Amino acid sequence: MRLKLVPQETNWDFFSRPKLWLGISVVLIVLAFVSFGLRGLNYGIDFRGGTTIRTESAQPVDVGAYRDALTPLELGDVVISEVFDPTFDADQNVAMVRIQAQEGQESVTAEVVAQVEAALQSVASDIRFVSVESVGPKVSGELIQTAAIAVVLAIAAVLVYIWLRFEWQFALGAVAALVHDVILTIGVFSELQIKFDLAIIAALLTIVGYSLNDTVVVFDRVRENLMKFKKRPLREVLNLSINETLSRTFMTSLTTLLALIALFVLGGDVIRGFVFAMIWGVVVGTYSSIFVASTVLLMLGVKRDWSKSQDTTGNQFGNVDA
Amino acid sequence: MLQIDLWKRVLIWALCAAGLFMALPNAFYSRVEGVNDARAAIELQGATAELTDQAAGWPSFLPASLVNLGLDLRGGAHLLAEVRVDEVYEARITALWPEVRDTLRPLRSEVGTIRRQNAPADELHVKIGNPAGMQAAMAAVRALAQPVVSLTAAGEQDLTVRGQDDVLIVSLSDAEKLATDERTVQQSLEIIRRRIDEVGTREPTIQRQGSDRILIQVPGLGSAQELKDIIGTTAQLTFQPVISRTTDGSTDAGIGEEVLPSLDESGVFYVLEENPVVTGEELTDAQPSFDQNGRPAVNFRFNPSGARKFGDYTAENIGNPFAIVLDDEVISAPVIQSHIPGGSGIITGNFTVEESTNLAVLLRAGALPAGLDFLEERTIGPELGADSIEAGKIATIVAFAAVLVFMALSYGLFGIFANVALILNIALIFGLLSLIGATLTLPGIAGIVLTVGMAVDANVLIFERIREELKTARGPARAIELGYEKALSAIVDANITTFITAVILFAVGSGPVRGFSITLGLGILTSVFTAIFVTRLIIVMWFERRRPKTIEV
């Protein structure tokens, strides 16, 4: 007896309400923009500069007392938050202290860190500083720039690759899905105010890769079916292709999610935000490859006469599967 | 039909075996690490019985290279420093003034009086009394220029000279600035490396980043501050002529002069000539020692050219004080008692033994040619790293188990074939990571976990395809063959696109992000390899043995 996520034969109509699906996506994108505009991202020090200190003590964390101890130092914006995690031991109380970048300094000076440490020590005598990280405003500005470049570059490279391997309509469909995923991910991060740092950029790019993976598998089948059923309407061919690959789409998404959820629960708080981004990306990416990429492809239409193009144009990079 | 040549079979298994073999040391991480340390120690200081015992803990015929653990897993200090390359221009320009002065002096009848003027730090402005002689002055100063020493700027001169009314402006040419930047950063890199090596820590990373930055990562160090102390932000030693001694710190220094505080007499300042007689760069040796009163001191010796300059200067200036300046503080300003010809001397001051030892180390390692700005510093405690490794390990095992069970339930026997490939896949990733000496970071572990989830994708594609083909194809062998054939283009396209993003991450990312891109990229390579070759081979071997009439995927 086999585990089956979807029936052997499916014949669901994914395009019965194209406007509804696109509408949902558009609404979500608008919401993401609104959230981004109103709340903004909770940038980590990688992107805004400043210092974070991670403390550990056997005594429970008293955020108020920590704040009182640091106020006299006049360090500007100081954020203190307690960290909870199921992987911590019973007497492991962790807090994060974030200090803004100080005026006119490239990096927080050792004196400031020493002052903060001394002040906290006066509140909790057994406190230990398990990590101290400072990023100067100069670097953080550059980091945000390279991060943006990385995301744009990745999307552009993919656009070109799919264009070469398929047709421009496919490339646009795939990129629409990618942009959709990236925007929704950023929206979730701004809405939930999860720390947005360099690792999240890596997660974003992985989402790009994953979402694409899904889209390409569907498109590959679309291309095959377009050659097989030359006369059937595009809508039917798309629907057939999605149905044929549906079982695989669910299998892969589920194994990936299984692995990611294990990491989310057990991997510790340091990478939880990163893993959350990827889980979200897998869910959104799976949705978008069916409902965004294919719908866009349906709306753009696609050239039907594939048999000729194959040997005359250079659109296909040789035939890899030959 | 389902045929794979023998040589291919041998090659596939050989590659898998090689991967497992390379990955093996990582299963005994701490043991192999101890052995590696012991071997390195023996190489360095010769064998002792204890070290030999330790080194024997791992057979020498087995590979011993391990996956490096990143700072976030092992704990340590990370610094990103920017070299103030501009400082070198300034020093060059300052050093140029006496030369320019001496060149123009014989032409005085033509150019009139010559006087140095205040100017931006990277330019030398000389006012001449007779503007009509500007052409001659410019020609004379231009003759001082020398060809730039660099491969890319062949034929260019190092100085640009221009006249503006009655002011002669000398500055470094752009080609020379580039060449100087290059030298300054290379030199800084080398000096930092030497200083860190002198402390002797395991596997420090010292890399150049961009045009003027240096990334320094030292595992196992207590804090970034400690690392900064080792690098010794600026240990610039100079010997400068003393003009006067004062207790007023706001004394106006003339052009080409500077006011520096004394190190141990508070409230005492010296007015010095900016141009040093000799600098620490010309030191060949420095050793901690004691002066005639038994106080800690540092003995030093100059190289021949430094010794000559020092000798000449002391011969000409007997009875005058000169200052020993370290990092813009006057350590001492003794009066020159006699000509010092040998090029060696002693620095005395209120040192403790420890301070004099440190100073000697700093001087011996050479001064940094320019100051450093620290743009980024991170300290990660070892316990946080250990917690992360522990959490990562458990998460990976659970993720792994979940995927294995899920695959077996979904695809039965074929699922188990895919599971064998998945296990091999992880071993191959670790083998490759050890082989290329890559660094595993916490996001890198996430990359592996993600690979575990995604690696089955290629197999899923193939199995789903085989299921489809079973409905139409003639017999199981044909279905398997077609399944592989037709799934290939989807596998290739899907993985190339993901690989593109991994490459971009590697190219623009740094630190942990790069660690993630490495495991992701390697994971894609190994998962495609295992899906296309390994599972196929397993299936073919099983098929040949059993010859089933029907198969269920």
Side-chain angles (χ1 to χ4, degrees), chain B residues 179 185 299 308 403 474 485:
Chain B
V185 176
N299 265 323
R308 197 181 56 240
V403 172
R474 301 173 302 271
E485 217 167 81

Side-chain angles (χ1 to χ4, degrees), chain B residues 31-52:
Chain B
R31 184 157 147 202
V32 179
E33 192 173 44
V35 170
N36 284 346
D37 286 351
R39 285 180 190 167
I42 290 174
E43 191 133 313
L44 215 67
Q45 338 154 335
T48 63
E50 198 185 337
L51 284 176
T52 321

Side-chain angles (χ1 to χ4, degrees), chain A residues 251-313:
Chain A
M251 274 300 295
T252 302
S253 295
L254 209 77
T255 52
T256 311
L257 278 178
L258 272 179
L260 286 176
I261 288 170
L263 196 61
F264 183 78
V265 176
L266 303 167
D269 69 291
V270 181
I271 52 166
R272 185 148 299 144
F274 177 72
V275 178
F276 172 78
M278 294 210 280
I279 290 178
W280 171 259
V282 169
V283 174
V284 176
T286 308
Y287 167 85
S288 73
S289 60
I290 295 175
F291 291 105
V292 178
S294 305
T295 312
V296 169
L297 188 60
L298 180 64
M299 282 160 52
L300 287 173
V302 65
K303 178 186 67 153
R304 296 306 300 269
D305 199 2
W306 283 79
S307 47
K308 263 186 202 165
S309 80
Q310 257 209 315
D311 26 62
T312 52
T313 70

Side-chain angles (χ1 to χ4, degrees), chain B residues 397-411:
Chain B
I397 291 169
V398 170
F400 206 61
V403 172
L404 292 182
V405 169
F406 187 69
M407 283 298 282
L409 284 179
S410 299
Y411 295 108

Side-chain angles (χ1 to χ4, degrees), chain B residues 300-356:
Chain B
F300 60 87
R301 199 169 56 240
F302 286 118
N303 65 14
S305 89
R308 197 181 56 240
K309 285 192 236 171
F310 192 61
D312 290 353
Y313 182 78
T314 50
E316 286 165 24
N317 291 280
I318 291 173
N320 294 334
F322 84 123
I324 301 172
V325 182
L326 184 74
D327 289 345
D328 286 342
E329 283 182 315
V330 178
I331 295 182
S332 67
V335 171
I336 299 168
Q337 306 290 353
S338 63
H339 174 212
I340 307 175
S344 64
I346 189 165
I347 305 173
T348 56
N350 272 327
F351 299 132
T352 63
V353 175
E354 201 181 324
E355 279 168 349
S356 69

Side-chain angles (χ1 to χ4, degrees), chain B residues 370-540:
Chain B
L372 300 174
D373 283 322
F374 294 103
L375 304 182
E376 207 184 301
E377 38 183 294
R378 300 174 196 259
T379 309
I380 290 114
E383 60 241 83
L384 181 59
D387 287 354
S388 295
I389 291 185
E390 198 48 40
K393 241 186 215 166
I394 295 172
T396 311
I397 291 169
V398 170
F400 206 61
V403 172
L404 292 182
V405 169
F406 187 69
M407 283 298 282
L409 284 179
S410 299
Y411 295 108
L413 187 61
F414 278 60
I416 291 171
F417 293 158
N419 286 343
V420 173
L422 184 59
I423 295 169
L424 269 173
N425 187 18
I426 299 292
L428 284 177
I429 292 180
F430 273 96
L432 279 175
L433 282 174
S434 316
L435 189 69
I436 62 176
T439 302
L440 187 65
T441 59
L442 190 53
I445 294 182
I448 292 180
V449 173
L450 185 68
T451 309
V452 171
M454 286 176 69
V456 294
D457 181 51
N459 281 313
V460 169
L461 275 168
I462 293 164
F463 294 166
E464 292 291 332
R465 197 73 207 212
I466 295 177
R467 270 187 192 170
E468 279 176 47
E469 297 302 329
L470 274 174
K471 290 180 224 155
T472 53
R474 301 173 302 271
R478 183 77 188 136
I480 293 172
E481 199 177 321
L482 280 177
Y484 269 96
E485 217 167 81
K486 292 195 172 167
L488 192 64
S489 88
I491 295 175
V492 168
D493 278 342
N495 283 290
I496 286 184
T497 43
T498 313
F499 194 73
I500 290 176
T501 56
V503 169
I504 289 174
L505 267 181
F506 182 80
V508 300
S510 64
V513 175
R514 191 169 262 202
F516 173 75
S517 70
I518 291 174
T519 51
L520 184 66
L522 289 181
I524 292 168
L525 292 180
T526 55
S527 69
V528 170
F529 169 76
T530 51
I532 297 182
F533 297 106
V534 180
T535 43
R536 185 184 209 159
L537 183 54
I538 297 175
I539 291 172
V540 167

